[in-house]
Amino acid sequence: HHPEASPSLVTGVQNLLSCMINPNGMDQLDGSIMGTSVFESGIVERLDNLFTQDATYLADSACMMANANMLDNLMAGGLTENLVNLEVENCLLSAMSNNPNDLELATACAMTIGRLKGGSGAGG
């Protein structure tokens, strides 16, 4: 079984998206607009589906670190609710269970999940 795209390519795509939407380098409003554009393009949902369907990506810690980073950047752009609705935390939890010895990844995923839970309007 060959994955749809190599994990390193998918990692690169996520890093690119993070660079595009990272509000640190630009006006917060621009980051928000860019984040919304990225989200509405459907790429985030496609990546999430890809990870859910193929554990090759979940087991690749660099790919999952890039995923957590990209989600953090999207939340910084104001898209927390969209990500909660997409149920991206399932992917983060799977990433943690697929890399049980990777403390750095576990920490990154846990922090991202914390931001997802803290930032959504609906309590839980």
Side-chain angles (χ1 to χ4, degrees):
H1 163 77
H2 288 292
E4 195 174 319
S6 77
S8 63
L9 173 66
V10 176
T11 302
V13 168
Q14 293 178 108
N15 288 337
L16 173 66
L17 292 172
S18 289
C19 291
M20 284 169 61
I21 56 188
N22 186 351
N24 294 345
M26 59 172 122
D27 189 281
Q28 183 72 47
L29 183 65
D30 291 342
S32 170
I33 292 167
M34 188 64 86
T36 303
S37 301
V38 166
F39 190 86
E40 287 178 351
S41 74
I43 184 79
V44 181
E45 189 170 3
R46 283 192 60 190
L47 286 166
D48 190 64
N49 290 339
L50 189 65
F51 300 153
T52 311
Q53 291 159 13
D54 192 337
T56 308
Y57 302 104
L58 295 171
D60 188 295
S61 64
C63 187
M64 289 300 105
M65 281 294 284
N67 182 42
N69 186 38
M70 177 186 72
L71 296 173
D72 285 342
N73 281 304
L74 284 163
M75 282 188 274
L79 287 148
T80 306
E81 203 172 315
N82 308 64
L83 296 173
V84 169
N85 293 339
L86 206 56
E87 299 181 342
V88 294
E89 76 177 89
N90 294 340
C91 175
L92 293 164
L93 291 166
S94 298
M96 291 164 79
S97 62
N98 273 276
N99 300 277
N101 301 322
D102 193 327
L103 195 62
E104 189 187 359
L105 178 64
T107 306
C109 289
M111 286 175 70
T112 301
I113 291 168
R115 288 188 192 102
L116 281 165
K117 295 212 178 293
S120 65

Short mmCIF file of all heavy atoms in Angstrom, two decimals, residues 36-83:
data_model
loop_
_atom_site.label_atom_id
_atom_site.label_comp_id
_atom_site.label_asym_id
_atom_site.label_seq_id
_atom_site.Cartn_x
_atom_site.Cartn_y
_atom_site.Cartn_z
N THR A 36 -8.73 32.22 6.50
CA THR A 36 -10.07 31.91 6.00
C THR A 36 -10.00 31.39 4.58
O THR A 36 -10.67 30.41 4.24
CB THR A 36 -10.97 33.18 6.07
OG1 THR A 36 -10.99 33.64 7.42
CG2 THR A 36 -12.39 32.87 5.64
N SER A 37 -9.18 32.01 3.76
CA SER A 37 -9.03 31.56 2.36
C SER A 37 -8.50 30.14 2.30
O SER A 37 -9.00 29.31 1.54
CB SER A 37 -8.06 32.48 1.60
OG SER A 37 -8.52 33.79 1.62
N VAL A 38 -7.48 29.87 3.13
CA VAL A 38 -6.89 28.53 3.18
C VAL A 38 -7.96 27.52 3.61
O VAL A 38 -8.13 26.47 3.00
CB VAL A 38 -5.68 28.49 4.13
CG1 VAL A 38 -5.28 27.05 4.44
CG2 VAL A 38 -4.50 29.23 3.52
N PHE A 39 -8.71 27.87 4.66
CA PHE A 39 -9.72 26.95 5.17
C PHE A 39 -10.81 26.70 4.13
O PHE A 39 -11.20 25.56 3.88
CB PHE A 39 -10.34 27.46 6.47
CG PHE A 39 -11.21 26.44 7.14
CD1 PHE A 39 -10.65 25.50 8.00
CD2 PHE A 39 -12.57 26.38 6.88
CE1 PHE A 39 -11.45 24.52 8.59
CE2 PHE A 39 -13.36 25.42 7.48
CZ PHE A 39 -12.80 24.49 8.33
N GLU A 40 -11.28 27.79 3.50
CA GLU A 40 -12.39 27.67 2.55
C GLU A 40 -11.99 26.95 1.28
O GLU A 40 -12.84 26.45 0.54
CB GLU A 40 -12.98 29.05 2.25
CG GLU A 40 -13.79 29.58 3.43
CD GLU A 40 -14.35 30.97 3.20
OE1 GLU A 40 -13.99 31.62 2.19
OE2 GLU A 40 -15.15 31.41 4.05
N SER A 41 -10.68 26.88 1.02
CA SER A 41 -10.22 26.14 -0.17
C SER A 41 -10.47 24.65 -0.02
O SER A 41 -10.45 23.91 -0.99
CB SER A 41 -8.73 26.39 -0.39
OG SER A 41 -7.97 25.66 0.57
N GLY A 42 -10.67 24.19 1.23
CA GLY A 42 -10.92 22.78 1.47
C GLY A 42 -9.67 21.96 1.74
O GLY A 42 -9.76 20.77 2.03
N ILE A 43 -8.49 22.59 1.67
CA ILE A 43 -7.23 21.86 1.84
C ILE A 43 -7.11 21.27 3.24
O ILE A 43 -6.63 20.16 3.42
CB ILE A 43 -6.00 22.75 1.50
CG1 ILE A 43 -4.69 21.97 1.58
CG2 ILE A 43 -5.92 23.97 2.40
CD1 ILE A 43 -4.39 21.10 0.41
N VAL A 44 -7.58 22.01 4.25
CA VAL A 44 -7.46 21.54 5.63
C VAL A 44 -8.30 20.28 5.83
O VAL A 44 -7.85 19.29 6.42
CB VAL A 44 -7.89 22.64 6.63
CG1 VAL A 44 -7.75 22.16 8.06
CG2 VAL A 44 -7.06 23.91 6.41
N GLU A 45 -9.51 20.31 5.28
CA GLU A 45 -10.41 19.16 5.38
C GLU A 45 -9.83 17.96 4.62
O GLU A 45 -9.89 16.82 5.10
CB GLU A 45 -11.78 19.53 4.83
CG GLU A 45 -12.83 18.46 5.08
CD GLU A 45 -14.24 18.92 4.75
OE1 GLU A 45 -14.41 20.06 4.26
OE2 GLU A 45 -15.17 18.13 4.98
N ARG A 46 -9.25 18.22 3.46
CA ARG A 46 -8.66 17.14 2.68
C ARG A 46 -7.48 16.50 3.41
O ARG A 46 -7.33 15.29 3.41
CB ARG A 46 -8.21 17.64 1.30
CG ARG A 46 -9.38 17.83 0.33
CD ARG A 46 -8.91 18.05 -1.08
NE ARG A 46 -8.14 16.92 -1.58
CZ ARG A 46 -7.45 16.95 -2.73
NH1 ARG A 46 -7.45 18.03 -3.48
NH2 ARG A 46 -6.77 15.90 -3.13
N LEU A 47 -6.66 17.33 4.03
CA LEU A 47 -5.53 16.81 4.81
C LEU A 47 -6.04 15.98 5.98
O LEU A 47 -5.55 14.88 6.23
CB LEU A 47 -4.66 17.97 5.32
CG LEU A 47 -3.78 18.67 4.29
CD1 LEU A 47 -3.25 19.99 4.84
CD2 LEU A 47 -2.63 17.78 3.85
N ASP A 48 -7.06 16.50 6.67
CA ASP A 48 -7.61 15.79 7.81
C ASP A 48 -8.16 14.42 7.39
O ASP A 48 -7.93 13.42 8.05
CB ASP A 48 -8.70 16.63 8.48
CG ASP A 48 -9.12 16.05 9.82
OD1 ASP A 48 -8.28 16.02 10.74
OD2 ASP A 48 -10.28 15.62 9.95
N ASN A 49 -8.87 14.40 6.26
CA ASN A 49 -9.41 13.13 5.74
C ASN A 49 -8.29 12.17 5.37
O ASN A 49 -8.39 10.97 5.62
CB ASN A 49 -10.29 13.39 4.51
CG ASN A 49 -11.59 14.08 4.87
OD1 ASN A 49 -12.03 14.03 6.01
ND2 ASN A 49 -12.20 14.74 3.91
N LEU A 50 -7.25 12.71 4.77
CA LEU A 50 -6.10 11.90 4.35
C LEU A 50 -5.47 11.23 5.57
O LEU A 50 -5.19 10.03 5.56
CB LEU A 50 -5.08 12.81 3.66
CG LEU A 50 -3.88 12.18 2.97
CD1 LEU A 50 -4.33 11.32 1.79
CD2 LEU A 50 -2.93 13.26 2.49
N PHE A 51 -5.28 12.00 6.64
CA PHE A 51 -4.65 11.46 7.85
C PHE A 51 -5.55 10.41 8.50
O PHE A 51 -5.09 9.40 9.00
CB PHE A 51 -4.36 12.57 8.86
CG PHE A 51 -3.44 13.64 8.32
CD1 PHE A 51 -3.50 14.93 8.81
CD2 PHE A 51 -2.52 13.34 7.33
CE1 PHE A 51 -2.65 15.92 8.32
CE2 PHE A 51 -1.66 14.33 6.84
CZ PHE A 51 -1.73 15.61 7.33
N THR A 52 -6.85 10.68 8.50
CA THR A 52 -7.79 9.77 9.13
C THR A 52 -7.83 8.43 8.40
O THR A 52 -8.01 7.38 9.01
CB THR A 52 -9.21 10.39 9.14
OG1 THR A 52 -9.11 11.72 9.63
CG2 THR A 52 -10.15 9.63 10.05
N GLN A 53 -7.64 8.47 7.08
CA GLN A 53 -7.73 7.26 6.27
C GLN A 53 -6.43 6.49 6.17
O GLN A 53 -6.44 5.32 5.81
CB GLN A 53 -8.19 7.62 4.84
CG GLN A 53 -9.63 8.10 4.77
CD GLN A 53 -9.92 8.91 3.53
OE1 GLN A 53 -9.13 8.93 2.60
NE2 GLN A 53 -11.06 9.60 3.51
N ASP A 54 -5.30 7.14 6.44
CA ASP A 54 -4.01 6.49 6.20
C ASP A 54 -3.04 6.74 7.36
O ASP A 54 -2.53 7.84 7.54
CB ASP A 54 -3.42 7.01 4.89
CG ASP A 54 -2.23 6.19 4.41
OD1 ASP A 54 -1.60 5.51 5.26
OD2 ASP A 54 -1.94 6.21 3.22
N ALA A 55 -2.80 5.69 8.13
CA ALA A 55 -1.94 5.80 9.32
C ALA A 55 -0.48 6.09 8.98
O ALA A 55 0.30 6.42 9.86
CB ALA A 55 -2.04 4.54 10.15
N THR A 56 -0.11 5.97 7.68
CA THR A 56 1.25 6.31 7.28
C THR A 56 1.59 7.73 7.72
O THR A 56 2.69 8.02 8.19
CB THR A 56 1.40 6.23 5.74
OG1 THR A 56 0.92 4.97 5.30
CG2 THR A 56 2.86 6.40 5.32
N TYR A 57 0.62 8.63 7.58
CA TYR A 57 0.83 10.03 7.94
C TYR A 57 0.82 10.21 9.45
O TYR A 57 1.62 10.97 10.00
CB TYR A 57 -0.25 10.91 7.29
CG TYR A 57 -0.27 10.80 5.79
CD1 TYR A 57 -1.26 10.06 5.14
CD2 TYR A 57 0.70 11.41 5.01
CE1 TYR A 57 -1.27 9.95 3.76
CE2 TYR A 57 0.70 11.30 3.63
CZ TYR A 57 -0.30 10.57 3.00
OH TYR A 57 -0.30 10.45 1.64
N LEU A 58 -0.12 9.52 10.10
CA LEU A 58 -0.24 9.64 11.56
C LEU A 58 1.03 9.17 12.25
O LEU A 58 1.40 9.68 13.30
CB LEU A 58 -1.44 8.82 12.05
CG LEU A 58 -2.81 9.30 11.59
CD1 LEU A 58 -3.87 8.28 11.96
CD2 LEU A 58 -3.15 10.65 12.18
N ALA A 59 1.71 8.19 11.66
CA ALA A 59 2.92 7.63 12.26
C ALA A 59 4.16 8.45 11.93
O ALA A 59 5.24 8.20 12.46
CB ALA A 59 3.11 6.19 11.79
N ASP A 60 4.01 9.44 11.06
CA ASP A 60 5.14 10.29 10.68
C ASP A 60 5.14 11.53 11.57
O ASP A 60 4.33 12.43 11.39
CB ASP A 60 5.01 10.68 9.20
CG ASP A 60 6.25 11.40 8.68
OD1 ASP A 60 6.53 12.52 9.17
OD2 ASP A 60 6.93 10.86 7.80
N SER A 61 6.05 11.55 12.55
CA SER A 61 5.98 12.62 13.56
C SER A 61 6.22 14.00 12.96
O SER A 61 5.60 14.98 13.39
CB SER A 61 6.94 12.35 14.71
OG SER A 61 8.27 12.36 14.27
N ALA A 62 7.08 14.11 11.95
CA ALA A 62 7.32 15.42 11.33
C ALA A 62 6.04 15.93 10.67
O ALA A 62 5.70 17.11 10.77
CB ALA A 62 8.45 15.33 10.30
N CYS A 63 5.33 15.03 10.04
CA CYS A 63 4.08 15.37 9.37
C CYS A 63 3.03 15.82 10.39
O CYS A 63 2.32 16.81 10.19
CB CYS A 63 3.58 14.16 8.58
SG CYS A 63 2.16 14.50 7.54
N MET A 64 2.98 15.14 11.52
CA MET A 64 2.00 15.47 12.55
C MET A 64 2.37 16.75 13.32
O MET A 64 1.50 17.50 13.73
CB MET A 64 1.82 14.29 13.51
CG MET A 64 1.09 13.11 12.88
SD MET A 64 -0.60 13.52 12.29
CE MET A 64 -0.35 13.59 10.50
N MET A 65 3.68 16.99 13.47
CA MET A 65 4.13 18.26 14.07
C MET A 65 3.69 19.42 13.17
O MET A 65 3.21 20.45 13.64
CB MET A 65 5.65 18.30 14.22
CG MET A 65 6.17 17.53 15.42
SD MET A 65 5.69 18.23 17.02
CE MET A 65 6.81 19.62 17.14
N ALA A 66 3.86 19.23 11.87
CA ALA A 66 3.46 20.26 10.91
C ALA A 66 1.96 20.47 10.96
O ALA A 66 1.47 21.59 10.82
CB ALA A 66 3.91 19.86 9.50
N ASN A 67 1.23 19.38 11.18
CA ASN A 67 -0.23 19.47 11.28
C ASN A 67 -0.63 20.30 12.51
O ASN A 67 -1.45 21.22 12.41
CB ASN A 67 -0.84 18.07 11.36
CG ASN A 67 -2.36 18.08 11.40
OD1 ASN A 67 -3.00 18.83 10.69
ND2 ASN A 67 -2.92 17.26 12.26
N ALA A 68 -0.04 20.00 13.66
CA ALA A 68 -0.35 20.74 14.88
C ALA A 68 -0.01 22.22 14.70
O ALA A 68 -0.79 23.10 15.09
CB ALA A 68 0.43 20.15 16.06
N ASN A 69 1.13 22.48 14.08
CA ASN A 69 1.57 23.86 13.84
C ASN A 69 0.59 24.60 12.92
O ASN A 69 0.22 25.75 13.17
CB ASN A 69 2.98 23.84 13.23
CG ASN A 69 3.57 25.22 13.08
OD1 ASN A 69 3.37 26.09 13.92
ND2 ASN A 69 4.28 25.43 11.99
N MET A 70 0.18 23.91 11.84
CA MET A 70 -0.76 24.52 10.90
C MET A 70 -2.09 24.84 11.59
O MET A 70 -2.65 25.92 11.41
CB MET A 70 -1.01 23.59 9.72
CG MET A 70 -2.03 24.11 8.71
SD MET A 70 -2.44 22.89 7.43
CE MET A 70 -3.40 21.69 8.37
N LEU A 71 -2.58 23.91 12.42
CA LEU A 71 -3.84 24.13 13.13
C LEU A 71 -3.70 25.30 14.10
O LEU A 71 -4.62 26.12 14.23
CB LEU A 71 -4.27 22.85 13.86
CG LEU A 71 -4.59 21.65 12.95
CD1 LEU A 71 -4.84 20.41 13.78
CD2 LEU A 71 -5.77 21.94 12.04
N ASP A 72 -2.54 25.40 14.78
CA ASP A 72 -2.29 26.53 15.68
C ASP A 72 -2.36 27.85 14.91
O ASP A 72 -2.95 28.83 15.39
CB ASP A 72 -0.91 26.41 16.34
CG ASP A 72 -0.87 25.35 17.43
OD1 ASP A 72 -1.96 24.95 17.92
OD2 ASP A 72 0.23 24.91 17.80
N ASN A 73 -1.76 27.87 13.73
CA ASN A 73 -1.76 29.08 12.92
C ASN A 73 -3.17 29.44 12.45
O ASN A 73 -3.55 30.61 12.41
CB ASN A 73 -0.83 28.94 11.72
CG ASN A 73 0.63 29.13 12.10
OD1 ASN A 73 1.00 30.16 12.65
ND2 ASN A 73 1.45 28.15 11.85
N LEU A 74 -3.96 28.41 12.10
CA LEU A 74 -5.35 28.65 11.71
C LEU A 74 -6.15 29.21 12.87
O LEU A 74 -6.97 30.11 12.70
CB LEU A 74 -5.99 27.36 11.18
CG LEU A 74 -5.56 26.95 9.77
CD1 LEU A 74 -5.91 25.49 9.51
CD2 LEU A 74 -6.21 27.84 8.72
N MET A 75 -5.91 28.69 14.08
CA MET A 75 -6.62 29.20 15.25
C MET A 75 -6.22 30.65 15.54
O MET A 75 -7.05 31.46 15.92
CB MET A 75 -6.37 28.31 16.47
CG MET A 75 -7.19 27.05 16.42
SD MET A 75 -7.08 26.08 17.95
CE MET A 75 -5.62 25.12 17.63
N ALA A 76 -4.93 30.95 15.34
CA ALA A 76 -4.46 32.33 15.52
C ALA A 76 -5.15 33.25 14.53
O ALA A 76 -5.34 34.44 14.80
CB ALA A 76 -2.94 32.39 15.36
N GLY A 77 -5.54 32.69 13.39
CA GLY A 77 -6.27 33.46 12.37
C GLY A 77 -7.77 33.49 12.62
O GLY A 77 -8.52 33.96 11.77
N GLY A 78 -8.20 32.95 13.74
CA GLY A 78 -9.60 33.06 14.13
C GLY A 78 -10.50 31.92 13.65
O GLY A 78 -11.71 32.08 13.58
N LEU A 79 -9.91 30.77 13.31
CA LEU A 79 -10.71 29.68 12.72
C LEU A 79 -10.94 28.51 13.67
O LEU A 79 -11.22 27.40 13.24
CB LEU A 79 -10.03 29.19 11.44
CG LEU A 79 -10.18 30.20 10.30
CD1 LEU A 79 -8.98 30.16 9.37
CD2 LEU A 79 -11.45 29.94 9.52
N THR A 80 -10.84 28.78 14.98
CA THR A 80 -10.98 27.70 15.96
C THR A 80 -12.29 26.94 15.79
O THR A 80 -12.32 25.71 15.75
CB THR A 80 -10.90 28.27 17.39
OG1 THR A 80 -9.69 29.03 17.51
CG2 THR A 80 -10.89 27.16 18.42
N GLU A 81 -13.39 27.69 15.65
CA GLU A 81 -14.70 27.05 15.56
C GLU A 81 -14.79 26.14 14.33
O GLU A 81 -15.34 25.03 14.41
CB GLU A 81 -15.78 28.13 15.50
CG GLU A 81 -17.15 27.64 15.94
CD GLU A 81 -18.16 28.77 16.07
OE1 GLU A 81 -17.81 29.82 16.64
OE2 GLU A 81 -19.29 28.59 15.59
N ASN A 82 -14.24 26.60 13.21
CA ASN A 82 -14.25 25.79 11.99
C ASN A 82 -13.51 24.47 12.21
O ASN A 82 -13.94 23.42 11.74
CB ASN A 82 -13.57 26.55 10.84
CG ASN A 82 -14.14 27.95 10.64
OD1 ASN A 82 -14.03 28.80 11.52
ND2 ASN A 82 -14.75 28.19 9.51
N LEU A 83 -12.38 24.56 12.92
CA LEU A 83 -11.57 23.37 13.16
C LEU A 83 -12.26 22.42 14.13
O LEU A 83 -12.19 21.20 13.97
CB LEU A 83 -10.19 23.78 13.70
CG LEU A 83 -9.34 24.60 12.73
CD1 LEU A 83 -8.07 25.09 13.42
CD2 LEU A 83 -9.00 23.81 11.48
#
